[in-house]
Amino acid sequence: MQQRRFIGLTAAVAALGIAAAGLTGCGSDSGSGSVTLKLVAADYDIAGGSSTKAYWHDVVAEFEKKNPGIKVDVSVLSWDVVDAKVAEMVKAGKAPDIAQIGAYSDYAAAGKLYSVDQVLSIPVQANFLAPLADAGEMKRVQYGIPFVASTRLLFYNQTLFDKAHLKPPQTWAQLEADAKALKAKGVKTPFALPLGSEEAQAETMMWMLSGGGSYVNQISGYDIDSPENIKTFNWLKKNLVEEGLTGPVAPAKLNRQAAFDAFAKGEVGMLNGHPSLMEQAKKKGVKYGMVPLPGAEGKAKASMGVADWIMGFKQNGHREEIGKFLDFTFNDQNVLAFADKYDLLPATRTASQTMQNNGKHPELKEFLAALPTSELPPVGKTSWPKVSETIKKRIGGAVSPEGDPRSVLEGIAKVATEAENAE
């Protein structure tokens, strides 16, 4: 979910080696005496500390106390290596029992994962927020379990808005007018539009949704070059980029983190952001507000949701033990402890409702409200990684001076169709 900071590769590999050794001697038949589950998890500690390890230590300690026949061996690896290391383990025939990583679809397509109904109890299955559970499906069977979630909102610099006597926009026309007013006041980047390679696929989807489109439709799969999407990028090019409202860095060369950093310096009037931007802005003393991204004529049809995933691998045959541990992991206490620690959103209904009601995170209220009706990228398609990479490389060209939105979107759509037909 791009909330990721990195630990050294040497340390990560060493941790993996120690963890892999822990697999030796584990029984392969579920329920046959003492079993040690191997869990590989991603590190969410952006300060480079050990808080993620501490979280899993507490969860495992309590679980093992209640389930004396099951041990859980946890390796926490940085986001820059964890997906690749799990892939290496699977390829080497040493799959973990459980992995908490960024994607599940390749493993599901290869038949390596338990389906969710094979491992989770019915009450736990039913407790996940619908958009997140749906995004965990491949060919109408759920394999990916949403571990934690986020949504996106429009951030605006409250101080700059007050100086220009502006209100947060509710439509594209108002957004354009606000951006022009900020430019007239000397704001360096009235609206930051990061279509660089870091996370262009996310910025693209947010704008597609605000224009009434999306990456996919319910009938024919990918719908990247739909009339709605073409109209959206024509508007962005003509009304924001060509008007000089997106700042000194061309959108195709602007990465998300650079845009966030500029916002935290007070140089950006508006941009789309996720919860981690709140903390970054606070640390720099930037006053901000947040509203849903405006649509062409009013409220967008949906906000973009994002999830990280946890999954159970079949290789070691520990279906029953995996299910017990995952059921325990998704009790409200554990879910809320993790979400609280990292300013993220719970993936379950009950924990989400508790977070909304307990008053501990008022700044997350808008994000929580957007999550139940959010739309996620088509992560259940094994073609999505290739399509996503193509978007990152090409979409910035749609709003460049010589670019044509229709041609760029049609080119990406052609790649998507070919990739989907190859599934």
Side-chain angles (χ1 to χ4, degrees):
M1 215 169 354
Q2 305 301 326
Q3 301 238 122
R4 300 156 186 184
R5 298 297 184 268
F6 310 138
I7 60 176
L9 180 60
T10 301
V13 173
L16 185 66
I18 293 169
L23 286 172
T24 304
C26 293
S28 62
D29 295 324
S30 179
S32 58
S34 180
V35 166
T36 299
L37 297 177
K38 169 62 192 160
L39 165 63
V40 177
D43 190 355
Y44 287 76
D45 193 327
I46 62 174
S50 58
S51 62
T52 304
K53 293 180 181 178
Y55 168 81
W56 284 113
H57 177 273
D58 292 345
V59 171
V60 167
E62 188 63 25
F63 173 78
E64 289 180 349
K65 188 187 301 182
K66 296 181 178 180
N67 298 271
I70 308 172
K71 301 293 183 183
V72 184
D73 179 14
V74 183
S75 294
V76 176
L77 305 180
S78 63
W79 271 113
D80 63 338
V81 301
V82 67
D83 287 280
K85 291 305 174 183
V86 170
E88 287 177 13
M89 294 172 72
V90 173
K91 186 176 181 180
K94 298 180 179 179
D97 295 287
I98 302 169
Q100 188 275 299
I101 51 179
Y104 67 88
S105 60
D106 284 351
Y107 303 120
K112 296 186 179 298
L113 301 181
Y114 289 115
S115 62
V116 170
D117 62 358
Q118 289 178 308
V119 288
L120 293 182
S121 65
I122 291 174
V124 174
Q125 288 181 62
N127 198 27
F128 289 104
L129 291 163
L132 305 181
D134 291 347
E137 292 184 357
M138 173 178 284
K139 297 180 179 178
R140 301 192 178 183
V141 177
Q142 187 182 352
Y143 297 94
I145 304 169
F147 180 69
V148 70
S150 177
T151 50
R152 301 293 191 262
L153 295 174
L154 176 71
F155 282 69
Y156 60 94
N157 184 308
Q158 186 69 64
T159 301
L160 297 178
F161 265 60
D162 289 346
K163 287 181 179 178
H165 306 290
L166 300 175
K167 294 181 179 180
Q170 297 182 350
T171 66
W172 285 359
Q174 291 170 2
L175 188 151
E176 180 186 3
D178 285 352
K180 287 180 175 178
L182 291 169
K183 182 180 180 182
K185 291 289 185 180
V187 175
K188 187 175 181 180
T189 304
F191 191 97
L193 184 65
L195 295 177
S197 60
E198 182 184 357
E199 208 183 10
Q201 83 289 354
E203 186 74 17
T204 297
M205 183 171 178
M206 285 183 267
W207 280 103
M208 286 179 170
L209 290 171
S210 75
S214 184
Y215 281 131
V216 297
N217 60 41
Q218 298 299 316
I219 301 172
S220 58
Y222 285 112
D223 200 21
I224 292 170
D225 57 346
S226 69
E228 294 84 359
N229 293 340
I230 293 170
K231 180 179 178 181
T232 292
F233 275 85
N234 277 324
W235 186 89
L236 285 172
K237 181 180 180 182
K238 177 182 177 182
N239 295 74
L240 293 187
V241 180
E242 291 181 354
E243 291 291 330
L245 303 178
T246 53
V249 180
K253 297 184 180 297
L254 182 63
N255 281 331
R256 188 217 56 191
Q257 191 57 55
F260 280 19
D261 292 345
F263 185 82
K265 293 177 183 177
E267 299 173 351
V268 173
M270 297 174 280
L271 82 170
N272 296 320
H274 55 59
S276 70
L277 181 56
M278 297 187 301
E279 190 64 26
Q280 188 175 350
K282 287 177 188 175
K283 287 181 178 179
K284 297 292 186 178
V286 172
K287 292 177 63 179
Y288 61 87
M290 301 176 296
V291 293
L293 178 63
E297 304 295 336
K299 185 178 179 181
K301 74 171 187 177
S303 64
M304 188 188 78
V306 181
D308 292 332
W309 305 95
I310 194 165
M311 62 212 71
F313 282 85
K314 293 178 177 179
Q315 180 178 314
N316 300 313
H318 296 151
R319 183 183 65 81
E320 182 180 341
E321 292 83 3
I322 290 170
K324 287 181 179 179
F325 181 74
L326 290 175
D327 270 1
F328 180 79
T329 298
F330 282 101
N331 69 41
D332 281 359
Q333 178 180 342
N334 292 331
V335 171
L336 286 167
F338 195 89
D340 284 346
K341 190 180 294 289
Y342 299 110
D343 281 336
L344 292 169
L345 307 183
T348 63
R349 300 173 191 273
T350 52
S352 182
Q353 191 63 50
T354 298
M355 182 176 272
Q356 283 182 304
N357 295 337
N358 65 17
K360 292 182 180 179
H361 298 275
E363 69 278 11
L364 290 177
K365 182 178 179 181
E366 291 287 348
F367 291 100
L368 286 163
L371 186 58
T373 56
S374 64
E375 185 172 323
L376 278 72
V379 293
K381 291 179 174 289
T382 55
S383 58
W384 173 242
K386 182 174 183 179
V387 175
S388 177
E389 284 303 311
T390 304
I391 293 164
K392 290 178 182 181
K393 292 176 182 177
R394 299 189 187 182
I395 195 63
V399 297
S400 66
E402 68 284 359
D404 173 55
R406 179 185 294 275
S407 296
V408 171
L409 289 170
E410 286 177 347
I412 297 171
K414 182 179 178 182
V415 171
T417 299
E418 292 173 349
E420 188 168 31
N421 289 340
E423 288 186 2

